[in-house]
Amino acid sequence: MEQQEAKKVIFSGIQPSGELTIGNYLGALKNWVKLQDEYDCYFCIVDLHAITVRQVPKDLRRRTLEVLSIYIAAGIDPEKNTLFIQSHVPAHSELGWLLNCNTYMGELSRMTQYKDKSQRYGNNIAAGLFNYPVLMAADILLYQTDLVPVGVDQKQHLELSRDIAERFNNAYSPTFKIPDPYIPKAGAKIMDLQEPTKKMSKSSDNANSYILIMDPPEVIRKKISRAVTDSIGVVKYSDEQLGVKNLITILSVITGKTPEDIEKEYEGQGYAQFKKDVAEAIVSELEPIQKKVKELLSDKTYLESIYKNGTEKANYVANKTLRKVQKKMGFIPKK
Ligand code: TRP
């Protein structure tokens, strides 16, 4: 027990706003699995974040449980980690508001993700999309988080979380732990299969751009065979061959081989066999996960017991921080 208290706290989350891709799996989930023994981990399904863009209610419901199932199927042990659904812990929304009043419009206007998205959605952009990094700060700060595993696209939001925390601590008194980014040793950023200069994203319009964790084997094989390469014809881990480089990354993360090993293995060969092997590696990695996800989704009672448990622990810790914040800001305790 004592040892558990000494463990550093990790918080991360995935939005249930679309189907998860192998980018989520290889870039995030697979690393989270490695953290669970060393850290006290909170892995959240951030459904409140998902609604910054309008969701079809029945899809949101289905995906929320699917993401939870994927967490577990990927190897995140619900006994060792706190797995929960963000909207089940009201402190996230509550602290979100309090922190909104401690965040400047200028700071939020500088967020590059907001700038990109507001260009894409024009005038029909929800205020929530502007405020979303503050909710993310609340997520992280509620648990006195030490480390946040995030990709580069979220680094700016994490820096904002740190700024908000520091400002609050200075204005009132030390309340929040200042979180650091956690950059995994073997960080993998999986790129779009059609435009390998972009990160693989579930929101791409072209289904050949990404592989979903739940894609059937024949779909995976087809998408990999169509993945963009180049006319150089050499399997090389090089910035001149971003398509091939991405496929090497995928193969390397799945098999544990280094990119150099892979280059050597395919020396003197074109892309045909290489692509076949990449596809088979993905298929055999995902098959057991897909099977487990389907099993889990058919056992709603089990899933319910997992998120109820997680919520209980998360609520307890989050409320402790929220009460402190409320008290320091001058709110009358409920008693
Ligand atoms: N904003 C993150 C994303 O879009 C998801 C997220 C929400 C998150 N809250 C978080 C990630 C807290 C890490 C920590 O990917």
Side-chain angles (χ1 to χ4, degrees), residues 11-13 15 46 49 132 136 139-140 148 150 154:
F11 185 101
S12 201
Q15 301 193 26
V46 287
H49 282 271
Y132 136 119
M136 180 163 161
D139 298 342
I140 296 166
V148 185
V150 281
Q154 294 296 322

Side-chain angles (χ1 to χ4, degrees), residues 246-288:
N246 188 37
L247 296 178
I248 294 180
T249 303
I250 293 173
L251 191 57
S252 157
V253 180
I254 293 177
T255 61
K257 293 178 188 165
T258 65
E260 297 74 48
D261 290 341
I262 294 170
E263 285 178 351
K264 271 197 212 113
E265 205 175 309
Y266 294 96
E267 221 169 67
Q269 301 184 37
Y271 297 143
Q273 186 61 43
F274 169 62
K275 276 186 155 184
K276 277 203 190 107
D277 293 348
V278 174
E280 290 320 308
I282 301 173
V283 168
S284 54
E285 177 86 5
L286 293 184
E287 264 183 335

Side-chain angles (χ1 to χ4, degrees), residues 11-15 17 24 32 42 44-46 49 86 92 113 117 132-133 135-141 145 147-151 153-154 157-158 161 199 202:
F11 185 101
S12 201
I14 296 181
Q15 301 193 26
S17 54
N24 298 111
W32 294 1
Y42 293 80
C44 185
I45 298 141
V46 287
H49 282 271
Q86 187 185 26
H92 290 251
Q113 195 179 57
K117 289 207 176 170
Y132 136 119
L135 182 59
M136 180 163 161
D139 298 342
I140 296 166
L141 301 177
T145 300
L147 295 166
V148 185
V150 281
D153 62 317
Q154 294 296 322
H157 292 159
L158 185 60
S161 302
K199 183 178 157 177
K202 53 202 170 196

Side-chain angles (χ1 to χ4, degrees), residues 119-242:
Q119 264 176 6
R120 189 138 42 102
Y121 300 112
N123 285 331
N124 296 324
I125 188 160
L129 206 54
F130 183 71
N131 288 307
Y132 136 119
V134 184
L135 182 59
M136 180 163 161
D139 298 342
I140 296 166
L141 301 177
L142 278 172
Y143 301 93
Q144 305 294 342
T145 300
D146 294 282
L147 295 166
V148 185
V150 281
V152 267
D153 62 317
Q154 294 296 322
K155 256 190 104 182
Q156 198 186 23
H157 292 159
L158 185 60
E159 271 152 30
L160 179 71
S161 302
R162 291 168 55 94
D163 291 344
I164 295 172
E166 269 163 14
R167 181 178 312 129
F168 191 97
N169 288 350
N170 288 333
Y172 299 92
S173 62
T175 309
F176 297 122
K177 170 104 38 99
I178 310 297
D180 282 311
Y182 178 85
I183 315 288
K185 281 173 215 110
K189 184 172 171 194
I190 307 302
M191 310 304 283
D192 185 300
L193 298 175
Q194 295 301 317
E195 289 176 69
T197 49
K198 296 197 308 200
K199 183 178 157 177
M200 183 181 283
S201 164
K202 53 202 170 196
S203 50
S204 166
D205 303 326
N206 182 351
N208 283 322
S209 296
Y210 52 75
I211 289 175
L212 301 177
I213 293 179
M214 298 306 285
D215 269 345
E218 60 282 8
V219 174
I220 296 174
R221 293 188 182 108
K222 203 173 66 200
K223 287 181 177 176
I224 291 295
S225 77
R226 291 187 183 160
V228 163
T229 51
D230 51 66
S231 55
I232 301 175
V234 179
V235 177
K236 194 154 182 280
Y237 191 73
S238 145
D239 285 337
E240 258 109 78
Q241 297 172 251
L242 289 177

Side-chain angles (χ1 to χ4, degrees), residues 17 20 48 72 76 78 89 99 101 110 149 242 294 316:
S17 54
L20 300 197
L48 296 171
I72 301 168
I76 297 170
V89 180
L99 295 182
C101 299
R110 281 194 292 277
L242 289 177
K294 285 177 194 149
Y316 176 78

